[in-house]
Amino acid sequence: MAVRCRLGSLKPIKGQEIIMKGDQTEALSRMLNDKLFALVELPDVRRKYPGRYVINSVRICAVRHRDSDVPYEECNLYLCFDNNPKEDIKKFKGEIDLAFRLSDMMISDPKPNIEFPEFDDFLVFMADKELVFGGYYIDDGGDTEGIYRKFFLDNYLKLRKPLNGNVFNVLYDIRLYMTRAGENTQAGLSSEDIRDLDVNSALIEFMKNRTKGYRFNNPKDYSVVFEAQSEMAKASCFLRCFYGSMYDDPMGILCYRFSAFVLPGAAAEGSVTADNRVINLKNGTSYMLDQIQINTEICNGISDLKDWIDYDLEAMTEE
């Protein structure tokens, strides 16, 4: 759904979320390293939800059970952390109070419950949870997911600093186009939730293995898997951040966004093979994979896609 009259607005877009599973301890460690953080449980009576944009130095994101369908604005638990190095807890609590007041939250009566867990305890708590991130928007040509993704990377994973050395900061938009096997049930192009497809976990695992030890194999290198969810599209993303040998800041970021679309028509069962079959694990629907688009490039299948990624990664090491 198009967003109109956005210029100058700092309001969130309903239904647009960035999601990170809570079992990614490396990413959580990067996010909260040397930072004060708190879990804020809200009272049931409230007028609005916490602001998704930055208030002073406080960052706010929702916490909910893994794969929950509860919207950001209806969650009762939020992670708050100070983007500055550790400072006085009393001051931090005051900043949290200010952030929620400016978001028009009913914070004084009744008051929310604020806890400051130890990091190891927090990791255990998050194992079956997920973090939900929003953002603000002004005007950016309708790329609302891109705005939210950038907000997540800049303000939560703290990747906004200029990169040093031979910089690679690339987003690969990888789109899988499929045809349903058997009966033709649609007339036009439609999107499919790639997170429900068997090929999704295979692609994410391939990216993890292929980029492990990439470039200088710096111990600070790390990866994070996250999701983009909205009324328009549901995608999974794999990001690899790697460092050079001489700088404290990241040298490069490679982000691979995977999404899936169903073409009109139907594929004969005989044309669907083990090499091109894609299965929706949630409802059992079978598809034939027709083509894969990577930005402006075209691949004929998963093997071709992996070869393209191999070539691209090797080519960048030579520059």
Side-chain angles (χ1 to χ4, degrees), residues 69-110:
D69 58 0
V70 177
Y72 177 100
E73 56 267 24
E74 295 180 16
C75 292
N76 286 323
L77 189 64
Y78 291 84
L79 169 68
C80 302
F81 69 92
D82 196 315
N83 209 38
N84 294 321
K86 284 186 177 180
E87 55 180 303
D88 183 74
I89 287 184
K90 183 177 180 181
K91 180 181 178 182
F92 180 45
K93 290 182 70 173
E95 291 175 343
I96 293 176
D97 180 86
L98 174 61
F100 280 75
R101 285 184 183 277
L102 291 179
S103 301
D104 204 19
M105 285 295 307
M106 296 183 68
I107 195 168
S108 57
D109 186 21

Side-chain angles (χ1 to χ4, degrees), residues 106-126:
M106 296 183 68
I107 195 168
S108 57
D109 186 21
K111 290 187 177 182
N113 180 40
I114 302 178
E115 295 184 356
F116 296 88
E118 295 293 331
F119 182 70
D120 289 343
D121 295 333
F122 176 70
L123 292 181
V124 174
F125 171 76
M126 286 299 301

Side-chain angles (χ1 to χ4, degrees), residues 16-298:
Q16 181 76 61
E17 298 175 341
I18 299 293
I19 303 165
M20 188 182 81
K21 303 304 184 189
D23 58 355
Q24 297 189 79
T25 58
E26 192 176 44
L28 288 174
S29 178
R30 296 281 176 166
M31 185 187 306
L32 301 176
N33 184 39
D34 294 328
K35 303 292 186 294
L36 283 173
F37 68 95
L39 287 173
V40 180
E41 185 176 9
L42 302 180
D44 292 333
V45 182
R46 49 185 171 155
R47 289 178 294 179
K48 291 186 179 180
Y49 51 87
R52 303 180 184 212
Y53 49 90
V54 177
I55 300 293
N56 293 336
S57 62
V58 175
R59 306 295 190 259
I60 301 174
C61 56
V63 180
R64 66 188 181 196
H65 285 282
R66 193 182 182 99
D67 299 323
S68 170
D69 58 0
V70 177
Y72 177 100
E73 56 267 24
E74 295 180 16
C75 292
N76 286 323
L77 189 64
Y78 291 84
L79 169 68
C80 302
F81 69 92
D82 196 315
N83 209 38
N84 294 321
K86 284 186 177 180
E87 55 180 303
D88 183 74
I89 287 184
K90 183 177 180 181
K91 180 181 178 182
F92 180 45
K93 290 182 70 173
E95 291 175 343
I96 293 176
D97 180 86
L98 174 61
F100 280 75
R101 285 184 183 277
L102 291 179
S103 301
D104 204 19
M105 285 295 307
M106 296 183 68
I107 195 168
S108 57
D109 186 21
K111 290 187 177 182
N113 180 40
I114 302 178
E115 295 184 356
F116 296 88
E118 295 293 331
F119 182 70
D120 289 343
D121 295 333
F122 176 70
L123 292 181
V124 174
F125 171 76
M126 286 299 301
D128 62 346
K129 308 292 192 308
E130 62 187 18
L131 294 177
V132 189
F133 305 85
Y136 62 83
Y137 62 90
I138 302 180
D139 184 68
D140 201 23
D143 183 18
T144 55
E145 181 188 312
I147 297 169
Y148 274 43
R149 182 176 59 246
K150 186 176 186 301
F151 192 86
F152 165 62
L153 299 180
D154 287 355
N155 292 285
Y156 291 91
L157 292 185
K158 295 168 287 186
L159 296 177
R160 180 163 40 182
K161 291 182 178 180
L163 305 179
N164 290 307
N166 296 321
V167 177
F168 296 109
N169 189 358
V170 187
L171 170 68
Y172 299 89
D173 189 3
I174 302 174
R175 305 185 180 194
L176 281 63
Y177 291 93
M178 313 174 299
T179 304
R180 183 165 181 161
E183 183 183 1
N184 180 12
T185 59
Q186 65 179 54
L189 183 71
S190 66
S191 63
E192 179 76 311
D193 191 338
I194 195 169
R195 300 172 299 179
D196 296 338
L197 304 181
D198 59 350
V199 70
N200 182 58
S201 59
L203 288 171
I204 295 297
E205 194 62 28
F206 170 77
M207 294 309 311
K208 287 181 179 178
N209 294 331
R210 183 59 184 84
T211 58
K212 188 176 181 179
Y214 185 61
R215 299 291 286 184
F216 295 100
N217 196 23
N218 193 306
K220 294 192 295 183
D221 294 352
Y222 70 98
S223 302
V224 59
V225 178
F226 59 98
E227 306 164 14
Q229 178 172 277
S230 70
E231 295 177 358
M232 294 293 293
K234 295 174 176 61
S236 65
C237 301
F238 172 84
L239 180 143
R240 182 67 175 175
C241 179
F242 57 93
Y243 290 73
S245 56
M246 298 184 296
Y247 302 103
D248 292 331
D249 294 333
M251 178 180 178
I253 300 170
L254 303 177
C255 186
Y256 299 81
R257 178 189 185 272
F258 298 97
S259 59
F261 298 87
V262 181
L263 298 165
E269 287 289 350
S271 63
V272 183
T273 67
D275 292 331
N276 64 16
R277 185 185 300 274
V278 176
I279 299 175
N280 186 311
L281 299 175
K282 183 170 287 188
N283 59 29
T285 303
S286 181
Y287 299 97
M288 183 183 75
L289 180 60
D290 288 277
Q291 262 186 350
I292 301 175
Q293 181 179 0
I294 315 171
N295 294 351
T296 58
E297 303 289 332
I298 296 292

